[in-house]
């Protein structure tokens, strides 16, 4: 016996990945439906070897459905998530709307799987920000061993994190630079993204941080440990898919780099590729389409007493969004709903 599953926002990048991953991981499904806005009504999307025609999110009745994976943005989620929850359908939401609600669990299954059981508060589980998700997967096993005091992270985030418009802008600007008269001005981003990097993701806040940076701080505290101090600099880079992070970690006690490497090799969801030779590390392009969070460049930080540096790479459309949502559904099924 399986679940009746809804994917809302099925025509977007993340929604399509959700459908792909549900099929790849053979999530126990009795019935599945793909929802989209009225302008995309009837668009065909793939689910394994099947083709689904999208239905209208606005008129859909969630009664009798078990799980809804939402990839529709905060404004639409504000309307449709309470409607699904009221009908008894558990919502796993990829937007930022509910992440900071104390009654809504924010879950990365490799880190805090037990939190899914709090879904009953509002029948909603939040999926974290893409940059946070991969980082806490890397931090958790190290935190369990040596207790993390402080994290300094710089991100190198791909344009797919800004949706299809971000991908299109990088593609069009790159082409336009080689064709006189066809230059493309910035629209989705504040400056040219082709052959450039932009230290600005989301809106600026009063203290000079961006909201993306604030999210990494707040979400790491909620998922991992409220005592961990985090400071972040988030940068958009001209990469289509795959987020990278340079992470500096300060621990309460000494952790040798070799032990850290061994711990990470044994940790769930992580693949360590760390050879001290040219090419002995993972770059974003190699993470595309993969489930793992990759860790490379593990080394001692000699400038502080108990410090480690590492490089962390993951497919942001997968672990940063769709994969984590499906893993939440799997965890919910295994721990609570128990079908299939």
């Amino acid at each position: 016996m399986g679940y009746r599953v809804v994917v809302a926002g099925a025509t977007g990048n993340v929604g399509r990945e959700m459908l792909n991953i549900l099929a790849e991981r053979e999530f126990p499904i009795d019935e599945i439906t793909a929802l989209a806005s009225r302008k995309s009504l009837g668009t065909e999307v793939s689910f394994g070897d099947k083709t689904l025609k999208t239905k209208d999110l606005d008129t859909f009745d969630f009664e009798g459905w078990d799980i809804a994976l939402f990839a529709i943005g905060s404004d639409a989620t504000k309307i449709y998530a309470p409607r699904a929850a009221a009908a008894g359908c558990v919502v796993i939401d990829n937007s930022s709307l509910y992440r900071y609600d104390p009654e809504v669990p924010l879950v990365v299954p490799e880190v805090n799987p037990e939190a899914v059981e709090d879904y009953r508060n509002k029948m909603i589980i939040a999926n974290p920000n893409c940059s946070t998700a991969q980082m806490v997967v890397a931090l958790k096993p190290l935190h369990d061993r040596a207790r993390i005091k402080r994290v300094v992270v710089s991100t190198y985030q791909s344009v797919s994190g800004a949706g299809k418009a971000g991908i299109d802008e990088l593609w069009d600007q790159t082409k336009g630079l080689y064709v006189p008269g066809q230059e493309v001005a910035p629209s989705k981003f504040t400056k040219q993204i082709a052959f450039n990097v932009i230290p600005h993701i989301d809106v600026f806040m009063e203290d000079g941080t961006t909201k993306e940076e604030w999210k990494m701080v707040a979400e790491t505290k909620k998922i991992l440990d409220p005592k961990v101090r985090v400071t972040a600099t988030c940068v958009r880079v001209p990469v289509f898919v795959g987020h990278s992070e340079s992470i500096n970690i300060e621990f309460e006690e000494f952790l040798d780099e070799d032990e850290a490497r061994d711990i990470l090799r044994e940790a769930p969801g992580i693949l360590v590729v760390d050879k001290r030779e040219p090419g002995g590390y993972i770059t974003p392009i190699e993470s595309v389409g993969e489930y793992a969070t990759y860790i490379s460049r593990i080394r001692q930080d000699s400038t502080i007493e108990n410090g480690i540096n590492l490089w962390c790479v993951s497919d942001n459309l997968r672990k940063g969004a769709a994969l984590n949502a499906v893993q939440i559904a799997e965890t919910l099924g295994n721990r609570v709903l128990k079908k299939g």
Side-chain angles (χ1 to χ4, degrees):
M1 185 178 180
Y3 300 94
R4 301 184 75 214
V5 177
V6 175
V7 175
T11 60
N13 292 332
V14 174
R16 289 177 187 272
E17 281 296 312
M18 286 175 171
L19 288 166
N20 290 338
I21 293 167
L22 285 166
E24 287 172 11
R25 293 173 73 92
E26 298 181 345
F27 187 81
I29 290 175
D30 280 349
E31 186 177 357
I32 187 166
T33 193
L35 304 181
S37 62
R38 196 158 293 172
K39 66 180 181 180
S40 300
L41 193 62
T43 301
E44 293 187 342
V45 292
S46 297
F47 173 65
D49 57 1
K50 299 178 182 177
T51 299
L52 308 176
K53 279 193 174 183
T54 57
K55 298 179 181 178
D56 185 8
L57 172 61
D58 190 53
T59 59
F60 186 75
D61 183 1
F62 288 92
E63 191 76 38
W65 293 84
D66 298 306
I67 299 171
L69 305 182
F70 271 42
I72 56 176
S74 294
D75 290 342
T77 296
K78 189 181 297 185
I79 298 169
Y80 299 107
R83 186 183 298 179
C89 180
V90 183
V91 174
I92 300 171
D93 176 37
N94 194 60
S95 81
S96 63
L97 182 64
Y98 292 103
R99 290 175 187 161
Y100 317 107
D101 185 328
E103 291 191 274
V104 175
L106 180 65
V107 178
V108 175
E110 296 93 337
V111 180
N112 61 337
E114 69 287 346
V116 297
E117 298 182 22
D118 293 331
Y119 82 95
R120 297 180 182 89
N121 296 334
K122 289 190 174 181
M123 295 292 286
I124 296 170
I125 302 171
N127 206 24
N129 185 45
C130 48
S131 51
T132 305
Q134 69 186 69
M135 183 173 76
V136 295
V137 168
L139 296 181
K140 168 64 172 173
L142 301 177
H143 185 57
D144 287 346
R145 162 61 181 83
R147 310 310 293 174
I148 294 172
K149 291 173 61 177
R150 182 172 184 257
V151 176
V152 180
V153 57
S154 296
T155 71
Y156 308 81
Q157 296 179 223
S158 65
V159 295
S160 58
K164 184 177 182 296
I167 294 173
D168 290 346
E169 188 155 309
L170 173 57
W171 177 249
D172 292 340
Q173 282 184 352
T174 302
K175 289 189 299 180
L177 289 172
Y178 289 97
V179 182
Q182 293 191 20
E183 295 84 359
V184 175
S187 174
K188 181 64 179 178
F189 302 114
T190 56
K191 292 180 182 283
Q192 176 183 307
I193 186 59
F195 302 98
N196 197 19
V197 299
I198 304 172
H200 173 197
I201 300 176
D202 213 321
V203 298
F204 276 97
M205 305 182 76
E206 286 187 6
D207 64 355
T209 62
T210 64
K211 194 169 183 181
E212 184 81 357
E213 293 157 356
W214 175 85
K215 289 174 187 176
M216 292 194 74
V217 176
E219 293 175 20
T220 300
K221 288 178 176 292
K222 184 172 181 179
I223 297 166
L224 183 65
D225 187 335
K227 295 178 181 178
V228 174
R229 292 177 294 165
V230 180
T231 181
T233 301
C234 294
V235 182
R236 190 72 72 189
V237 297
V239 169
F240 286 111
V241 178
H243 286 359
S244 305
E245 298 171 347
S246 172
I247 308 175
N248 174 264
I249 311 165
E250 183 180 359
F251 298 92
E252 291 183 3
E253 58 185 272
F254 180 76
L255 178 62
D256 179 76
E257 64 185 46
D258 291 329
E259 184 182 357
R261 193 175 290 106
D262 290 341
I263 289 169
L264 290 166
R265 281 198 176 108
E266 297 299 320
I270 291 174
L271 276 178
V272 174
V273 179
D274 189 22
K275 298 179 181 179
R276 294 179 176 180
E277 61 187 42
Y281 41 79
I282 291 293
T283 59
I285 200 166
E286 296 155 290
S287 75
V288 177
E290 301 294 333
Y291 289 150
T293 295
Y294 292 93
I295 308 295
S296 305
R297 302 292 319 281
I298 303 164
R299 61 205 187 278
Q300 222 79 47
D301 176 7
S302 61
T303 68
I304 55 176
E305 189 173 352
N306 302 316
I308 292 284
N309 289 305
L310 56 83
W311 174 251
C312 177
V313 179
S314 190
D315 181 331
N316 57 293
L317 297 179
R318 291 207 152 206
K319 186 55 188 172
L323 172 61
N324 199 73
V326 173
Q327 288 178 302
I328 291 172
E330 292 170 344
T331 305
L332 182 68
N334 292 334
R335 295 180 72 105
V336 184
L337 304 182
K338 299 185 185 301
K339 288 186 184 181

